[in-house]
C-alpha cells in the first residue's frame, strides 16, 4: 500500500471531477432534442393547397393538391460508413407516439391561403451522440400497429381518414390531387388519388385483423446517405412521384388513381418511383420521391 497524502488526494479529486464533467457532457449530448423537417415540393417550387402544378405526369396535366399525409417509423441516423443508429422518439402527442409519426404537409382548411402553414411538417426525436452524415426512415406502419380499431386508437393512429379496414389496415401514404381540364376540353376536373398501403392481407372478414403478415407490405424504405438532419429538410417531390403516371385517365373497371391494387396498372408508375415492385418487376430502382435539401 502506498501512503495517501494530500497531493495524491488532490490529483484523485481532479481526475474524478474531469470524469464527472465528461459524463455529464455525454449525458447532455445523449438527451439533445432533434427535429426532422419535411416539405412538399414540385421540382424546386413549394407546394400548398392554392397552387396549381404543371406539367404533371406523362401527358403534362395540371393538378391541384388537396391532401398529402403519410406515416413514418424506424427513424435512424447514418454514420459515415453507413451504420444506422436508431433514434429514440420525442415526446408523445397529437402527431407522434411510440416511434410512429404522421406527417401532414397540406392545409385542407377552406379557404386556405398561400401562407397557411402545414399542419405537421416535422417529427421530433432524441439525437444520439456522435457525427452523422445520413438518414433513413420507413414510410408506413410496422405490422403490429397496422391492424386495429382506429376509432379507439391513440394519436396519431386515431386518424380514421387514413384507415381502410381492420383487414388491410391504414393508408400509409395519401396524396389526393384534382386534375384540371386542358384548354378546350369540356371534361370536368377529376381526382387522381395515390393511396399506398398493404395488400394481400387475409382474414375471415374486413373487420378482422389478419393473423399473418400481408403478402405485399408495401413499406417504402428511404435512405439519404448525404443528409445533415440539423440543417437540411426532407423534400417530397410530387412532380417526381407522378412523373411516369398518366394522371389524366384511369384504367377501366378500377378504382380512381392508385389504391395499391396489384392489378391496377395506374399504380405501376407510382410504385416504380417509390422503389416498390409492381407486377413482374422484382427489383425496382431505389425510390426517387424523397431527397434532402
Amino acid at each position: 500500500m502506498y501512503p495517501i497524502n494530500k497531493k495524491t488526494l488532490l490529483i484523485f479529486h481532479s481526475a474524478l471531477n474531469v470524469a464527472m464533467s465528461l459524463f455529464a457532457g455525454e449525458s447532455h449530448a445523449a438527451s439533445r432534442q432533434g427535429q426532422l423537417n419535411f416539405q412538399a415540393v414540385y421540382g424546386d417550387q413549394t407546394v400548398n393547397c392554392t397552387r396549381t402544378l404543371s406539367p404533371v405526369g406523362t401527358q403534362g396535366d395540371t393538378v391541384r393538391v388537396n391532401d398529402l399525409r403519410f406515416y413514418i417509423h424506424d427513424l435512424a441516423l447514418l454514420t459515415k460508413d453507413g451504420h444506422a443508429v436508431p433514434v429514440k422518439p420525442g415526446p408523445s402527442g397529437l402527431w407522434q407516439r411510440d416511434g410512429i409519426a404522421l406527417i401532414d404537409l397540406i392545409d385542407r382548411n377552406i379557404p386556405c391561403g398561400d401562407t397557411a402553414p402545414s399542419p405537421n411538417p416535422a417529427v421530433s426525436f432524441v439525437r444520439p451522440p456522435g457525427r452523422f452524415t445520413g438518414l433513413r426512415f420507413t414510410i408506413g406502419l410496422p405490422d403490429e400497429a397496422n391492424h386495429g380499431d382506429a376509432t379507439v386508437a391513440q394519436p396519431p393512429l386515431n386518424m380514421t381518414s387514413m384507415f381502410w379496414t381492420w383487414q388491410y389496415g391504414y393508408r400509409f401514404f395519401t396524396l389526393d390531387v384534382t386534375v384540371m381540364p386542358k384548354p378546350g376540353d369540356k371534361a370536368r376536373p377529376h381526382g387522381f388519388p395515390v393511396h399506398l398501403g398493404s395488400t394481400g392481407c387475409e382474414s375471415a372478414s374486413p373487420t378482422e385483423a389478419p393473423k399473418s403478415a400481408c403478402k405485399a407490405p408495401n413499406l417504402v424504405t428511404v435512405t439519404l446517405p448525404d443528409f445533415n438532419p440539423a440543417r437540411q429538410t426532407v423534400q417530397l417531390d410530387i412532380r417526381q412521384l407522378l412523373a411516369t403516371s398518366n394522371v389524366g385517365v384511369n384504367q377501366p373497371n378500377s378504382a380512381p388513381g392508385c389504391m395499391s391494387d396489384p392489378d391496377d396498372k395506374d399504380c405501376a408508375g407510382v410504385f416504380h418511383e417509390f422503389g416498390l415492385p409492381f407486377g413482374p418487376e422484382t427489383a425496382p430502382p431505389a425510390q426517387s420521391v424523397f431527397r434532402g435539401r
Side-chain angles (χ1 to χ4, degrees), residues 2 37 42 49 57 64 87 116 123 127 170 172 185 189 196 198-199 205 213 269:
Y2 290 97
N37 296 299
Y42 169 84
C49 56
R64 184 180 67 248
V87 302
V123 55
R127 180 184 172 92
Y170 287 81
F172 298 157
D185 190 346
L196 183 68
S198 297
T199 58
S205 71

Side-chain angles (χ1 to χ4, degrees), residues 23-49:
F23 179 79
E26 290 177 358
S27 299
H28 177 72
S31 62
R32 188 170 52 177
Q33 292 295 313
Q35 180 169 291
L36 180 62
N37 296 299
F38 289 81
Q39 181 186 32
V41 297
Y42 169 84
D44 293 326
Q45 302 175 33
T46 302
V47 171
N48 60 39
C49 56

Side-chain angles (χ1 to χ4, degrees), residues 135 222 224 226-228 232-236 287 289-293:
L135 174 72
V222 178
L224 304 176
D226 298 311
F227 185 86
N228 185 338
Q232 291 183 289
T233 295
V234 178
Q235 292 186 340
L236 188 164
Q287 70 83 27
V289 179
F290 295 89
R291 64 174 182 249
R293 284 289 170 87

